[in-house]
Amino acid sequence: MQSTAAVSVSASATASRGGARSEAARRPGGIRVCGLRGEALTCPSLRISQAPARLAAARAAAAANGAVAGSGGGFDYDLVIIGAGVGGHGAALHAVEEGLKTAIIEGDVVGGTCVNRGCVPSKALLAVSGRMRELHDEHHMKSMGLQVSSPGYDRQGVADHANNLASKIRSNLTNSMKALGVDILTGVGTIVGKQKVRYGKAGFPDKEITARNIIIATGSVPFVPKGIEIDGKTVFTSDHALKLESVPDWIAIVGSGYIGLEFSDVYTALGSEVTFVEALDQLMPGFDPEIAKLAQRVLINPRKIDYHTGVFASKITPAKDGKPVLIELIDAKTKEHKETLEVDAALIATGRAPFTKGLGLENINVVTQRGFVPVDERMRVMDADGNVVPNLYCIGDANGKLMLAHAASAQGISVVEQISGKDHILNHLSIPAACFTHPEISMVGLTEPQAREKADKEGFEVNVVKTSFKANTKALAENEGDGIAKLIYRPDTGEILGVHILGLHAADLIHEASNAIALGTRVQDIKFAVHAHPTLSEVLDELFKAAKVNSGVSHSVNEPVAA
Amino acid sequence: MATAPAPLSLSASTLPARLRAGAVPAGARWRQARRGRMVVRAKIREIFMPALSSTMTEGKIVSWSAGEGDRVSKGDAVVVVESDKADMDVETFHDGIVAAVLVQAGESAPVGAPIALLAESEEEVPLALSKAQELSNGQPQQAPPAPTEDAAAAPPPPPAPAAAPAPVAAGTKGIASPQAKKLAKQHRVDLAKVTGTGPYGRITSADVEAAAGIQPKSKPAPAAAAPSVGAVPQAAVLPPVPGATVVPFTTMQAAVSKNMVESLAVPTFRVGYPIVTDKLDELYEKVKPKGVTMTVLLAKAAAMALAQHPVVNASCRDGKSFTYNSNINIAVAVAIDGGLITPVLQDADKLDIYLLSQNWKDLVKKARAKQLQPNEYSSGTFTLSNLGMFAVDQFDAILPPGQGAIMAVGASKPTVVADKDGFFSVKSKMLVNVTADHRIVYGADLAAFLQTFAKILEDPESLTL
């Protein structure tokens, strides 16, 4: 109804702006971390030829909002994003595609944690560690007929590689936004009232802008439990570790999640010995138990790593006065002192805390929960009374729903969809996660215990099938047969509940499964998809083929659309 | 599919039974040595590494389902073994108590090798433990040593608690690094008896290996299959200094190190010579604007002198002959970031100083970018090393392998000199020092060469010709 009215409004201008530029924008950076559209697309055929329809809808929504592209309709911007991390960047790009006048406020450096102090530099370090591992694995090399004499490394060179990569990606991000016409405003953003943001130097926000919609995307910082003294040299967080200023002989890693595990891979490859300190009774508590068990066999036991589980590091003192780093361990349950570790360095990888101070949330009656901004399933910010704050959204680590860079980006895109008048709820179960150890670990959806719990509650059956990398030609050619893939599904409907992979290039393999979950593809359909031979993707191919779905389920073959 | 655990047949048998059965494929000779001792006690059974597939030669213990001290009954899965194909549960055919685990989880053993001992009753456990002690003594999984060596070389360590403690709870006073603990467990070394030499008196893996009587160089266990960079410096002769940082050589530094060690095989001697440089300095001021450097002038002069003294430009390749080089290629030592390289000015006697300067500029640029081609740094027949710019008055160079002589040039500085008529004056003087291979270059040769060299520099007009 509204759409008819809206289509007449500057249609050509908006179309060219949204369409042409977004194409240009995606190319140079090439850093669209997350392109998931969630489960809203249950009707695939609708997507085939709806480009004009979509634009019309976008304009319809914009018009309904009073925000005709280009003019803010009384506002300075259609959308202001506070925080130019991967989440803010994803939202900004999509907003431009939807024809919204967009600004992004950044008080530190563009790229946020992921690009500057997280995923990106750590991938550079892990790329080095992977090669070091290969070169040092004499047995592996010999079995392939290769001879290598005493490989070594130059610490500064490795550190430079990580730093250069971060700068490169950072400038790519910045350029992609500039090229699209996103205003990058420098300073710390504070919400001073409804649809009003002030920004400038920390503590002195002197410029004020108005925005029809605001997205908070301020991210997170490393969480340091109390009792731990950080000196940045011998006791540090991932922020410091990524600079690789030293490679200690012996480093304790507090926390055995993604961050801890990845760093253990880097440090052991560079010659350090590692001691994990984990508060829970099991290492890698977030992973599917079977995967965690195998990961321990492949990534922990054969390496120079030992571990203490079920203990807290109650006090950590940096090395000084000729003493090493001291770590006091107490029992996680009884709180009794158990042991004091003496190591050369300690990396605190106990998770991340939201960075939401100074946002001015009190001005709009929003109370954070342990620092996280409360949001509903549409990322709309909730105030202290549990009501939705209109025109205010929060994405990424700051809302704590799923602290992953690509999740933030997906949430940002989801918000922009809503702002543009298309209701959208992101299916978080379709968001994959990966740990870039050697070999890699990746997962999407539920773990087996989670799936079984859900099945008990809702009264359905769960089946699990597994395939091994040992049976994959490509993996064997690479001499990397360690690893499994595991599919958790419903035998009655063929719905994919979760996929977990540990093995060579697992992080790249997971997307076939995550896309299937996002698009609602069922096992009985995807098993007919063809995979090139010989590739690692056949591990998943076999996995889907191994799954037995009860007969009688309709086989929803998609008719070729163009034929 | 492949990972589905398939319960497998057993591989434990009594010793006498095995005797009747005859030789066992792996390590038969070695076991025979113990047979005499063991025959009497038939109640201790060995659990062997089973052959899980026709191609399997060794297996890795994934995990022990039964721990030391656990009572197991026939048909129980006791261990998970990873073969070249899959992981499989292996069950026991006998009731008993797992007295000692010989091959820990994560370690490998050849097919047929004992991986644990099963005692029939409590009473036999201590016996099994002492047997485990014997078996483990000097036996890290593979390659059983000859029995005599076993007995003589490595006296059994005092009965250590064979029940290995949980990975974490090593109740020792001394702090041991993670790898040291792993090795200690593997080689049954009592950490309490090891003196730590690592930082803060910590026990390192090298300490444990030393205590276990293992040459640090041979990495015995597949468990250590992910060796570290640290292992390289650890293998060095000197113990690490507490708190020191060990930085492995880069390729360039390794090459320098190798060359320097090799140079020790050459008998060298040194001759020094003072040279007055006033005229040279004048010339330098004149040609400097044209891009000529002091390095090039010195290289040119050396090349001209070498043309008159070919023996100094020769080399001794086999210890039996002179190799006279047809070209005079002057290698010049250049310090670059974290290393040292010697770009070569080829045919320095034939090219004029302007052309040489141009070549030199290109070479230095390439050297900084690490783009020198091998013939651009390894074709030198004589080396020039100049530390004059640092005000070094004189120094001594090491002769690089494959060359006959190297010249070390110090700084030129004002010096009071008396001429042959007894007049004093202040002249700029520099000291050069040549190191030469005495197998081919003798003292008089070198002296004559230096005299020619000095003459060229003291009357340097010929340099510009």
Side-chain angles (χ1 to χ4, degrees):
Chain A
M1 305 134 274
Q2 286 165 325
S3 66
T4 45
V7 176
S8 60
V9 182
S10 65
S12 62
T14 323
S16 63
R17 189 176 180 208
R21 280 198 180 170
S22 71
E23 267 312 296
R26 281 166 194 239
R27 296 275 153 73
I31 322 157
R32 288 296 298 243
V33 176
C34 184
L36 277 182
R37 302 267 173 187
E39 64 180 1
L41 312 164
T42 40
C43 186
S45 62
L46 235 172
R47 285 190 58 75
I48 307 297
S49 60
Q50 92 300 39
R54 259 188 77 185
L55 274 174
R59 262 171 270 119
N65 255 335
V68 176
S71 86
F75 290 98
D76 296 332
Y77 291 100
D78 295 327
L79 175 63
V80 163
I81 302 161
I82 306 177
V86 167
H89 177 257
L93 258 54
H94 193 59
V96 172
E97 190 184 339
E98 295 294 340
L100 303 179
K101 189 183 180 200
T102 308
I104 195 159
I105 301 175
E106 178 56 60
D108 186 23
V109 282
V110 171
T113 298
C114 169
V115 173
N116 299 294
R117 296 175 299 275
C119 344
V120 171
S122 67
K123 293 306 93 61
L125 297 184
L126 283 158
V128 173
S129 78
R131 281 174 175 74
M132 278 304 283
R133 234 172 246 301
E134 262 178 53
L135 292 173
H136 271 286
D137 192 343
E138 281 169 37
H139 177 69
H140 186 154
M141 284 285 169
K142 235 184 241 165
S143 65
M144 294 172 93
L146 289 174
Q147 291 171 349
V148 176
S149 65
S150 62
Y153 69 94
D154 162 25
R155 184 198 53 76
Q156 192 55 47
V158 179
D160 289 348
H161 174 49
N163 192 29
N164 293 343
L165 179 71
S167 333
K168 186 169 184 178
I169 303 296
R170 184 166 59 235
S171 71
N172 282 353
L173 279 188
T174 313
N175 293 341
S176 70
M177 290 198 289
K178 276 187 185 156
L180 279 174
V182 174
D183 286 345
I184 302 176
L185 311 174
T186 310
V188 177
T190 306
I191 297 165
V192 286
K194 197 171 174 298
Q195 295 170 303
K196 212 175 281 177
V197 178
R198 211 176 272 169
Y199 71 97
K201 273 187 198 143
F204 306 97
D206 46 2
K207 300 178 197 95
E208 191 169 296
I209 46 173
T210 56
R212 176 163 301 282
N213 291 290
I214 299 169
I215 296 180
I216 298 169
T218 44
S220 62
V221 290
F223 169 68
V224 178
K226 66 174 173 28
I228 297 178
E229 187 187 330
I230 299 281
D231 72 346
K233 294 268 182 291
T234 56
V235 180
F236 46 79
T237 66
S238 56
D239 284 4
H240 308 102
L242 287 166
K243 293 181 190 151
L244 202 72
E245 280 169 355
S246 65
V247 178
D249 287 349
W250 183 4
I251 182 165
I253 299 182
V254 184
S256 65
Y258 297 73
I259 304 176
L261 209 54
E262 289 190 354
F263 273 106
S264 78
D265 195 279
V266 170
Y267 279 118
T268 52
L270 297 184
S272 303
E273 296 183 25
V274 168
T275 295
F276 271 118
V277 175
E278 172 58 56
L280 296 176
D281 288 334
Q282 216 195 341
L283 288 179
M284 298 168 269
F287 295 70
D288 181 272
E290 198 169 356
I291 296 288
K293 201 173 133 196
L294 184 62
Q296 179 159 346
R297 268 170 45 192
V298 176
L299 301 172
I300 307 276
N301 294 348
R303 299 185 179 171
K304 295 183 173 180
I305 301 178
D306 70 351
Y307 49 86
H308 301 253
T309 51
V311 289
F312 281 129
S314 60
K315 187 162 188 269
I316 300 186
T317 325
K320 56 187 164 197
D321 310 329
K323 276 196 227 145
V325 175
L326 298 177
I327 303 179
E328 281 179 27
L329 298 182
I330 57 166
D331 190 287
K333 292 187 189 84
T334 64
K335 309 290 178 211
E336 276 168 27
H337 180 266
K338 280 191 81 169
E339 200 175 334
T340 302
L341 299 180
E342 293 181 16
V343 293
D344 298 322
L347 168 66
I348 313 305
T350 42
R352 300 187 59 89
F355 181 64
T356 51
K357 272 199 187 130
L359 266 173
L361 294 170
E362 60 286 353
N363 300 335
I364 42 169
N365 189 30
V366 172
V367 180
T368 58
Q369 292 162 3
R370 290 180 301 125
F372 293 109
V373 177
V375 293
D376 67 359
E377 57 182 4
R378 289 178 174 81
M379 310 301 138
R380 295 181 293 197
V381 174
M382 315 291 286
D383 68 13
D385 310 320
N387 301 319
V388 167
V389 180
N391 305 97
L392 182 64
Y393 301 83
C394 177
I395 61 168
D397 288 4
N399 71 30
K401 271 185 181 285
L402 187 54
M403 295 173 88
L404 295 168
H406 48 276
S409 187
Q411 291 171 356
I413 289 166
S414 171
V415 167
V416 171
E417 285 285 293
Q418 294 168 55
I419 292 174
S420 313
K422 285 158 284 184
D423 191 23
H424 188 275
I425 296 174
L426 179 66
N427 177 10
H428 281 86
L429 284 177
S430 75
I431 298 181
C435 185
F436 295 83
T437 42
H438 296 91
E440 296 172 342
I441 307 172
S442 63
M443 66 213 77
V444 64
L446 304 175
T447 62
E448 189 178 337
Q450 285 168 344
R452 295 210 181 275
E453 197 189 320
K454 188 177 179 203
D456 279 350
K457 251 190 225 152
E458 298 177 17
F460 60 82
E461 239 185 284
V462 166
N463 262 13
V464 174
V465 285
K466 284 172 264 182
T467 51
S468 166
F469 279 68
K470 279 198 178 80
N472 180 275
T473 312
K474 188 70 190 306
L476 291 178
E478 300 281 344
N479 223 344
E480 302 276 359
D482 274 342
I484 62 165
K486 173 176 177 179
L487 166 68
I488 303 154
Y489 69 104
R490 282 180 68 155
D492 53 345
T493 62
E495 185 189 347
I496 300 172
L497 300 172
V499 173
H500 304 264
I501 311 174
L502 183 152
L504 185 63
H505 295 308
D508 292 311
L509 293 176
I510 195 69
H511 298 96
E512 186 170 12
S514 64
N515 288 356
I517 294 179
L519 301 173
T521 315
R522 290 164 192 272
V523 174
Q524 62 268 36
D525 297 328
I526 203 169
K527 71 197 291 182
F528 290 105
V530 180
H531 297 71
H533 176 75
T535 59
L536 293 172
S537 71
E538 289 171 290
V539 172
L540 287 195
D541 187 28
E542 267 197 63
L543 193 62
F544 296 136
K545 286 191 164 77
K548 295 274 176 291
V549 176
N550 297 342
S551 57
V553 178
S554 70
H555 191 247
S556 59
V557 177
N558 294 321
E559 295 297 331
V561 183
Chain B
M1 29 151 286
T3 40
L8 220 113
S9 70
L10 191 259
S11 35
S13 65
T14 63
L15 284 166
R18 197 154 51 73
L19 271 178
R20 283 194 302 276
V24 178
R29 185 167 60 114
W30 158 71
R31 265 191 222 104
Q32 270 172 355
R34 315 199 176 280
R35 191 200 302 161
R37 275 170 267 171
M38 296 314 303
V39 160
V40 200
R41 314 280 178 200
K43 297 298 170 57
I44 296 163
R45 297 182 165 97
E46 294 179 354
I47 299 180
F48 299 117
M49 173 64 70
L52 301 180
S53 74
S54 55
T55 53
M56 176 171 165
T57 54
E58 70 163 29
K60 185 170 161 190
I61 309 285
V62 172
S63 61
W64 282 97
S65 327
E68 284 178 353
D70 285 0
R71 188 173 280 282
V72 292
S73 20
K74 189 177 163 185
D76 283 355
V78 290
V79 61
V80 182
V81 170
E82 178 183 288
S83 74
D84 51 345
K85 298 225 164 41
D87 297 351
M88 301 208 188
D89 286 330
V90 177
E91 45 189 74
T92 169
F93 271 175
H94 299 268
D95 297 343
I97 296 164
V98 179
V101 168
L102 301 175
V103 180
Q104 301 294 333
E107 297 169 7
S108 301
V111 168
I115 53 176
L117 295 181
L118 202 61
E120 200 150 280
S121 63
E122 296 281 356
E123 295 83 69
E124 271 123 11
V125 170
L127 193 70
L129 286 179
S130 68
K131 184 175 181 229
Q133 197 73 57
E134 278 178 65
L135 284 173
S136 72
N137 199 3
Q139 177 243 359
Q141 290 106 51
Q142 289 126 325
T148 47
E149 198 182 64
D150 181 30
V168 183
T172 53
K173 264 183 258 163
I175 304 272
S177 82
Q179 184 65 4
K181 280 186 213 158
K182 276 191 187 178
L183 288 173
K185 218 172 119 190
Q186 190 181 326
H187 299 300
R188 294 170 183 259
V189 170
D190 184 359
L191 283 173
K193 297 190 169 62
V194 179
T195 315
T197 63
Y200 311 105
R202 149 196 325 163
I203 299 169
T204 65
S205 41
D207 297 334
V208 174
E209 284 180 337
I214 299 165
Q215 294 293 318
K217 270 192 180 170
S218 66
K219 283 189 214 87
S228 75
V229 202
V232 181
Q234 270 168 16
V237 225
L238 298 171
V241 181
T245 320
V246 178
V247 182
F249 285 151
T250 60
T251 319
M252 181 193 286
Q253 290 162 340
V256 171
S257 163
K258 181 171 160 281
N259 275 342
M260 290 304 97
V261 173
E262 277 177 14
S263 74
L264 292 175
V266 177
T268 54
F269 74 112
R270 293 150 188 89
V271 175
Y273 208 95
I275 297 173
V276 175
T277 62
D278 295 75
K279 286 191 177 162
L280 179 66
D281 295 338
E282 272 172 39
L283 174 71
Y284 177 50
E285 286 309 318
K286 266 192 248 167
V287 295
K288 202 170 160 187
K290 296 174 190 164
V292 178
T293 61
M294 184 53 89
T295 300
V296 167
L297 288 176
L298 292 170
K300 176 71 183 169
M304 287 167 69
L306 286 170
Q308 295 177 39
H309 302 272
V311 72
V312 184
N313 193 47
S315 62
C316 182
R317 308 246 150 204
D318 52 3
K320 290 185 282 195
S321 63
F322 294 79
T323 303
Y324 287 97
N325 295 302
S326 51
N327 297 350
I328 296 178
N329 298 337
I330 308 290
V332 184
V334 175
I336 62 167
D337 186 27
L340 168 72
I341 197 152
T342 54
V344 175
L345 283 167
Q346 296 186 351
D347 294 321
D349 57 327
K350 299 193 181 81
L351 303 180
D352 68 39
I353 51 173
Y354 307 106
L355 214 51
L356 283 176
S357 298
Q358 191 53 50
N359 291 352
W360 182 241
K361 235 168 92 186
D362 293 346
L363 287 169
V364 170
K365 210 157 107 195
K366 279 193 195 169
R368 297 249 152 83
K370 301 193 174 160
Q371 284 168 344
L372 283 179
Q373 298 302 309
N375 70 318
E376 290 173 324
Y377 59 79
S378 61
S379 59
T381 57
F382 180 88
T383 301
L384 180 69
S385 180
N386 182 3
L387 291 181
M389 54 287 228
F390 300 114
V392 167
D393 67 343
Q394 60 170 322
F395 71 105
D396 207 27
I398 293 180
L399 180 65
Q403 292 183 15
I406 178 170
M407 176 185 283
V409 182
S412 176
K413 56 180 182 183
T415 315
V416 178
V417 289
D419 67 11
K420 54 182 187 263
D421 301 323
F423 289 109
F424 288 94
S425 59
V426 173
K427 304 249 184 206
S428 288
K429 208 161 100 176
M430 74 178 183
L431 290 166
V432 299
N433 207 343
V434 178
T435 307
D437 181 349
H438 209 303
R439 290 173 300 176
I440 52 169
V441 183
Y442 304 158
D445 297 332
L446 210 48
F449 162 74
L450 278 166
Q451 200 173 21
T452 310
F453 179 70
K455 261 191 198 145
I456 295 170
L457 288 187
E458 285 171 0
D459 187 11
E461 289 311 313
S462 60
L463 285 176
T464 57
L465 296 178

